[in-house]
Amino acid sequence: MDQTIKAYGFYQPGDRTKPPEFVAEQVPKPAVAGRDLLVEVKTVSVNPTDLRTRDAKKDSDDSFTIVGRDVAGIVLEKGEACELFEVGDEVFYAGTNNRPGGHSEWHVVDERIVGKKPQQLDFAQAAALPLTSLTAWEALFDRLGVSHEAAQNEGKSILIIGAAGGVGSIAVQLAKLAGLKVIGTASRQETSEWAKKHGADIVINHHEKMRPQLKEQGLKEVDYIFCLSDPDGHMANMAEAIAPQGKICSILPLQKPLDMQLFAKSATFVYELMYTRSVYQTEDMADQHKALNRISEWADEGAVVSTMANKLKPLNANTLKEAYEQLLTNKTIGKIVVEGPFED
């Protein structure tokens, strides 16, 4: 009889205003070939993208769907073409959205999007980092073109809209390491304090006009904007705040036309989607492995801190529902982590 593993997933999307109806199932052990690793899952974290996967599922689709991108665990097996890891290595990563997710005892992932887990962080702290770190890294250095050399960014500024969320918490840290002046946005005292704790030089309120707030802080405009929520709702503010020939990056798609001020300013508007490299198997796919290893080094040096804000356990259907219920409030700070062992 083929070996099976425990996984947590759902059959139908259900009420999209509520968490997925997770159930435990025994599923076949995933096969490992090529550049795939088989990882023993120790800890996962939850992300809005997992809910978007559920929301995109048709009501008539009753297949068993396993979500969950962020994983920290240990390599159990490796494919014949693997060259980056050995059995027993501790790893962390964000999987792709065209393969089953990591809410399972064992999980298969391409080694080119996997990093070595920071030695100074436990599995829970490490699981909070991959998806948000890669999103922030790619947005800053690949999409916006921010230099990796802090000296090259002297005098430049970035506005991070949603600085206390999962991606925002790590984007603030990476932007500071890159030598940028960081202006974060938040709307509550606790989120403002969180953003400042992680390195934001200035925090303004994204529910109010942003450019007047920037002027109060002695800033006429900003060189870069990283938008982490509602780009349509923030477009007018971004168009006013961005400098001529500045650059804006969004992790969510626009539904409305770009503001004409962006044309007048010759501003750049780009998207960041962490899945692009893995889904399209791009030639630079292993850049995610390199980026995660650099994040791991910074974490071990204390230059980057885990953005885990809440840890739940054990890893079961009820705990996952609780984690996604918190995520649905849209008021979470940092990352929510769910730690093993796997229990019913």
Side-chain angles (χ1 to χ4, degrees), residues 4-229:
T4 62
I5 61 170
K6 183 180 292 183
Y8 295 99
F10 50 88
Y11 285 98
Q12 292 181 314
D15 185 344
R16 290 172 174 82
T17 66
K18 296 180 179 179
E21 288 296 328
F22 289 105
V23 295
E25 293 285 6
Q26 293 294 131
V27 300
K29 172 192 170 184
V32 178
R35 300 199 69 172
D36 281 343
L37 303 173
L38 179 65
V39 175
E40 178 188 4
V41 177
K42 293 293 188 179
T43 312
V44 302
S45 71
V46 300
N47 294 282
T49 184
D50 300 318
L51 289 170
R52 286 194 284 273
T53 297
R54 185 275 304 272
D55 295 346
K57 189 172 181 177
K58 295 181 179 179
D59 291 332
S60 58
D61 182 356
D62 60 359
S63 62
F64 188 60
T65 300
I66 306 170
V67 295
R69 303 302 162 213
D70 279 328
V71 171
I74 301 173
V75 176
L76 294 175
E77 298 177 16
K78 63 176 189 172
E80 69 280 359
C82 286
E83 54 189 34
L84 301 175
F85 295 95
E86 299 296 334
V87 172
D89 284 348
E90 295 182 349
V91 296
F92 73 144
Y93 60 88
T96 188
N97 65 352
N98 62 353
R99 301 183 77 172
H103 292 349
S104 56
E105 290 180 296
W106 296 349
H107 185 233
V108 167
V109 62
D110 190 301
E111 68 168 355
R112 288 170 291 181
I113 61 173
V114 176
K116 292 186 177 180
K117 183 185 80 67
Q119 295 179 359
Q120 300 302 314
L121 301 185
D122 62 25
F123 286 105
Q125 293 167 323
L129 288 174
L131 186 145
T132 54
S133 295
L134 285 173
T135 300
W137 178 287
E138 292 183 349
L140 292 173
F141 303 121
D142 297 339
R143 314 304 176 215
L144 292 173
V146 174
S147 174
H148 288 275
E149 301 297 327
Q152 299 296 316
N153 300 318
E154 187 175 353
K156 294 183 179 179
S157 58
I158 186 169
L159 173 64
I160 299 175
I161 299 176
V167 178
S169 298
I170 193 72
V172 167
Q173 298 181 62
L174 298 189
K176 285 297 294 181
L177 285 171
L180 294 171
K181 185 178 186 67
V182 179
I183 304 94
T185 79
S187 60
R188 309 192 311 272
Q189 181 178 348
E190 58 267 34
T191 52
S192 178
E193 290 174 354
W194 178 271
K196 289 177 181 177
K197 174 184 176 183
H198 286 82
D201 297 295
I202 299 167
V203 177
I204 63 175
N205 191 326
H206 47 238
H207 291 314
E208 300 175 8
K209 278 191 167 291
M210 295 182 190
R211 197 174 187 200
Q213 295 179 79
L214 292 174
K215 287 183 176 179
E216 288 177 3
Q217 299 293 332
L219 291 168
K220 180 181 177 182
E221 57 218 357
V222 293
D223 301 286
Y224 306 102
I225 297 177
F226 188 20
C227 184
L228 302 170
S229 68

Side-chain angles (χ1 to χ4, degrees), residues 223-292:
D223 301 286
Y224 306 102
I225 297 177
F226 188 20
C227 184
L228 302 170
S229 68
D230 188 17
D232 290 296
H234 292 301
M235 179 53 68
N237 270 315
M238 292 192 294
E240 286 185 352
I242 195 67
Q245 303 183 87
K247 297 181 180 181
I248 301 171
C249 180
S250 173
I251 64 170
L252 294 172
L254 282 168
Q255 304 300 321
K256 301 175 183 178
L258 289 170
D259 192 295
M260 285 300 293
Q261 283 192 77
L262 299 186
F263 172 74
K265 291 181 174 181
S266 295
T268 299
F269 186 93
V270 295
Y271 287 121
E272 158 55 22
L273 182 63
M274 187 213 67
Y275 301 129
T276 299
R277 285 182 161 119
S278 56
V279 168
Y280 290 97
Q281 298 281 296
T282 61
E283 291 183 2
D284 61 355
M285 183 172 162
D287 281 2
Q288 292 197 339
H289 163 72
K290 297 173 184 176
L292 284 175

Side-chain angles (χ1 to χ4, degrees), residues 319-331:
T319 310
L320 286 170
K321 288 179 186 177
E322 181 182 349
Y324 283 101
E325 191 167 31
Q326 291 182 25
L327 204 60
L328 278 165
T329 66
N330 293 317
K331 293 183 178 180

